[in-house]
Amino acid sequence: MEATFAGEIPTTIIIFGASGDLTRRKLVPALYDLAQGNFLPPSFAIMGTARSPYSDESFRTHLHEQLDLFSRAQPGEVPIWDEFAKQVFYHPLVYDNAESYKNLGERLAELEQEKAGNRLFYLATPPQLYETIIRQLGAAGLSTPRADGDGWSRIIVEKPFGHDLPSARTLNATLHQVFDEQQIYRIDHYLGKETVQDLIVFRFANTIFEPVWNRNYVDHVQITVAEQVDVASRAGYYDQAGVMRDMFQNHLLQLLTLTAMEPPAVFDPNALRDEKVKVLRALRAIPPDQVAQHTIRAQYRRYRDEEGVSPGSNTPTYALVRLHVDNWRWQGVPFYLRSGKALADKRSEIIIQFKCPPHTLFLAPEGSDLTPNRLALCIQPDEGMHLRFETKVPGAGMTMRSTDMEFHYGETFGAGTLPSAYERLLLDALHGDPSLFTRGDEIELAWSLIDPILEGWSQKDAPALVFYEAGTWGPPEADAFLAADHRRWHEGCRSQHEKRS
Ligand code: BG6
């Protein structure tokens, strides 16, 4: 990660919603790890704001209590907490009260010791507060850098960004009344994952894969984001959102665009995002009356008993969607996307399933077919990749067996070396690099693909919600769906050792 910052301009990250889980579990541990690696600007402060009545001291204690659980820092590393804590502050705030923002501005100016500082606002509150905060920041003059210096002002907006296309448009419009697009960083933490960025390097820094990355060689693509956790304490939010809004609109579509996009001419934020937008434009929308042919929605059996879930809720906790990218590269290649909660394992992977050789000379082991090549990009938890190919079984005859060539980040670069997604993204926002953040048009296009599916599912004659046991790989209907296409789900990132045991 880039380590240097020009000048000595004081830089403050102001977190709205600082008493919440995201701040405690992700944001502050990420900032702490960045501080530990000496990546933060020399004069840096964190200002937490929320309704809760913390003092600076009690806020520091609240954060410190669980830092060991959530930070990457290894026990025994030089403890920097005391130094770090001196840079952490708290300002109680009433979100819709102009006076609160005036006071916040005064506190920031105090911290900056009268120099015009850099300010990075982070919206980590419930999303219904975003517009109020954005307007208040504008009204208090906090969205523009002070006229007497070189400082900047930027804003990071957490997901969910809207709950459908109209609300995302409204939020974009409100943001644009107060901030320029260059100041806005819409976060999708999947883009901060090392393995997701490596997809770009893997595709465009190697010559051997790109020529076969198309309809001539690829049979289909599977994108799986499976979670073992259930909705736990987030049922209140989740029951309104469901898997489509929570995972597909953002993470899964981002993985798809990076897999399918053309190489940008240069590695620059707009060139990269232009290519992703072209994929979103090329995706064939599923009309509401065709959801039965292209999707499955399911719920794990005990979901309706979770605290905070409405009895009889039809919110899907699992979905499978088959999409097509209508362009020259991908015509006729289905992309199967699936994601769910309470599944058998936590596993995110992208599988590029190549076509079968046109003619086979050799014998596959009895009872099996010739296995076509398969590339599995393992996003998490065991980050790396597996390339499957056929080998000759030693001995007489020409019998084949499939084998995997595996690469694991942990083995090559050392365990614990991967920075968290939030570390990477916070640092990029501090450096002013929006490449790994979602642009306004991208978010709106993503919603325009998700909305018709949600509409289809809400119709009276919609295909029925199906059910699956927690701890399985989802509903049997998902296997039948692929079987009807003469395909099956693969677990491409399970190592051969795991598969044998
Ligand atoms: C979040 C979703 O965006 O991503 C959660 O709101 C989900 O429901 C989480 O659990 C998954 O992230 P990760 O990094 O654990 O795969």
Side-chain angles (χ1 to χ4, degrees):
M1 287 193 289
E2 213 175 327
T4 51
F5 280 87
E8 289 287 315
I9 298 178
T11 301
T12 311
I13 174 163
I14 304 103
I15 305 176
F16 290 89
S19 55
D21 260 15
L22 185 72
T23 305
R24 187 173 56 90
R25 298 165 71 104
K26 299 283 183 193
L27 303 182
V28 171
L31 291 166
Y32 183 74
D33 289 334
L34 286 171
Q36 182 94 18
N38 219 5
F39 288 114
L40 292 177
S43 169
F44 184 75
I46 299 170
M47 175 68 77
T49 76
R51 280 175 291 227
S52 311
Y54 286 115
S55 62
D56 288 345
E57 210 39 59
S58 60
F59 183 55
R60 290 170 188 154
T61 311
H62 159 78
L63 297 176
H64 192 197
E65 271 162 6
Q66 290 182 45
L67 203 56
D68 280 351
L69 280 181
F70 299 116
S71 119
R72 250 182 344 118
Q74 297 296 311
E77 273 181 349
V78 185
I80 59 155
W81 172 255
D82 292 344
E83 276 310 300
F84 182 80
K86 285 186 200 148
Q87 308 304 120
V88 177
F89 305 90
Y90 186 81
H91 181 78
L93 177 124
V94 180
Y95 288 116
D96 57 359
N97 177 285
E99 195 62 20
S100 284
Y101 291 79
K102 187 171 155 269
N103 297 340
L104 173 64
E106 286 165 5
R107 261 205 97 185
L108 292 176
E110 241 171 67
L111 269 184
E112 293 159 354
Q113 297 168 337
E114 298 313 319
K115 292 184 203 147
N118 297 325
R119 292 164 179 181
L120 178 60
F121 298 100
Y122 198 118
L123 300 190
T125 59
Q128 52 278 19
L129 290 170
Y130 290 175
E131 295 195 32
T132 305
I133 298 170
I134 294 162
R135 286 206 189 88
Q136 292 286 359
L137 284 174
L142 293 170
S143 57
T144 42
R146 266 171 36 180
D148 56 346
D150 306 324
W152 46 251
S153 175
R154 298 180 187 138
I155 185 162
I156 301 183
V157 186
E158 246 310 323
K159 72 171 270 278
F161 194 96
H163 59 270
D164 56 11
L165 179 58
S167 57
R169 280 196 178 134
T170 308
L171 181 52
N172 267 335
T174 308
L175 273 166
H176 288 145
Q177 280 164 19
V178 177
F179 292 93
D180 291 337
E181 180 62 30
Q182 299 90 287
Q183 296 176 278
I184 305 169
Y185 292 70
R186 300 171 191 79
I187 204 164
D188 180 325
H189 78 279
Y190 264 59
L191 292 176
K193 290 185 191 280
E194 280 292 325
T195 36
V196 175
Q197 293 158 51
D198 190 46
L199 183 52
I200 308 174
V201 174
F202 181 76
R203 287 194 54 200
F204 304 133
N206 294 299
T207 43
I208 60 171
F209 298 107
E210 202 46 29
V212 296
W213 207 265
N214 57 50
R215 61 192 290 268
N216 298 324
Y217 295 92
V218 176
D219 176 72
H220 72 278
V221 177
Q222 297 182 5
I223 301 181
T224 297
V225 178
E227 295 191 88
Q228 214 168 12
V229 289
D230 54 26
V231 298
S233 56
R234 296 171 73 224
Y237 147 78
Y238 194 88
D239 204 35
Q240 301 300 313
V243 68
M244 263 302 151
R245 294 187 170 97
D246 189 48
M247 299 296 287
F248 277 73
Q249 186 273 339
N250 32 69
H251 309 326
L252 278 100
L253 283 182
Q254 287 294 333
L255 295 179
L256 186 156
T257 53
L258 291 172
T259 308
M261 73 179 187
E262 297 300 317
V266 283
F267 193 69
D268 126 318
N270 268 331
L272 176 70
R273 295 187 295 178
D274 284 348
E275 293 305 335
K276 286 163 65 196
V277 160
K278 284 186 206 161
V279 176
L280 291 169
R281 281 193 203 290
L283 276 170
R284 195 185 305 162
I286 299 174
D289 62 354
Q290 287 182 21
V291 287
Q293 288 99 294
H294 300 286
T295 72
I296 284 185
R297 60 186 175 130
Q299 193 182 74
Y300 65 86
R301 283 208 186 276
R302 54 180 169 72
Y303 175 73
R304 291 176 185 175
D305 303 331
E306 304 273 15
E307 204 182 320
V309 169
S310 56
S313 164
N314 277 332
T315 300
T317 58
Y318 173 102
L320 150 59
V321 176
R322 179 180 50 217
L323 285 168
H324 285 94
V325 185
D326 282 332
N327 61 19
W328 276 52
R329 186 189 281 265
W330 295 115
Q331 195 54 239
V333 179
F335 283 69
Y336 299 97
L337 276 54
R338 63 172 171 167
S339 178
K341 297 246 183 240
L343 294 179
D345 205 356
K346 179 175 173 77
R347 200 179 288 269
S348 300
E349 57 189 38
I350 301 171
I351 291 182
I352 313 293
Q353 176 69 62
F354 292 97
K355 292 185 173 175
C356 257
H359 172 62
T360 166
L361 303 174
F362 312 113
L363 275 183
E366 212 172 316
S368 69
D369 295 328
L370 179 66
T371 316
N373 298 125
R374 182 196 308 153
L375 175 70
L377 303 162
C378 315
I379 308 294
Q380 60 189 23
D382 182 9
E383 294 87 354
M385 59 193 68
H386 295 204
L387 180 61
R388 163 157 288 216
F389 52 89
E390 297 300 290
T391 47
K392 179 183 174 302
V393 177
M398 289 296 257
T399 311
M400 292 172 302
R401 193 168 78 195
S402 303
T403 191
D404 273 9
M405 194 155 69
E406 299 183 18
F407 155 72
H408 300 272
Y409 275 84
E411 277 169 16
T412 305
F413 297 108
T417 46
L418 294 187
S420 75
Y422 279 95
E423 280 175 65
R424 170 66 198 242
L425 294 174
L426 285 164
L427 199 58
D428 280 5
L430 288 168
H431 279 292
D433 181 353
S435 307
L436 301 175
F437 292 83
T438 321
R439 219 167 50 187
D441 53 345
E442 211 177 331
I443 287 253
E444 292 184 15
L445 278 165
W447 277 119
S448 69
L449 293 159
I450 297 302
D451 279 2
I453 299 178
L454 292 172
E455 192 189 325
W457 285 351
S458 69
Q459 313 277 313
K460 273 206 205 76
D461 56 353
L465 176 77
V466 295
F467 295 89
Y468 60 100
E469 298 299 335
T472 65
W473 278 104
E477 287 80 355
D479 295 339
F481 186 99
L482 249 67
D485 281 1
H486 309 290
R487 297 183 174 113
R488 63 187 174 85
W489 293 109
H490 297 295
E491 289 179 49
C493 292
R494 285 184 70 201
S495 68
Q496 281 165 11
H497 165 73
E498 257 184 289
K499 280 175 206 159
R500 278 194 290 269
S501 58

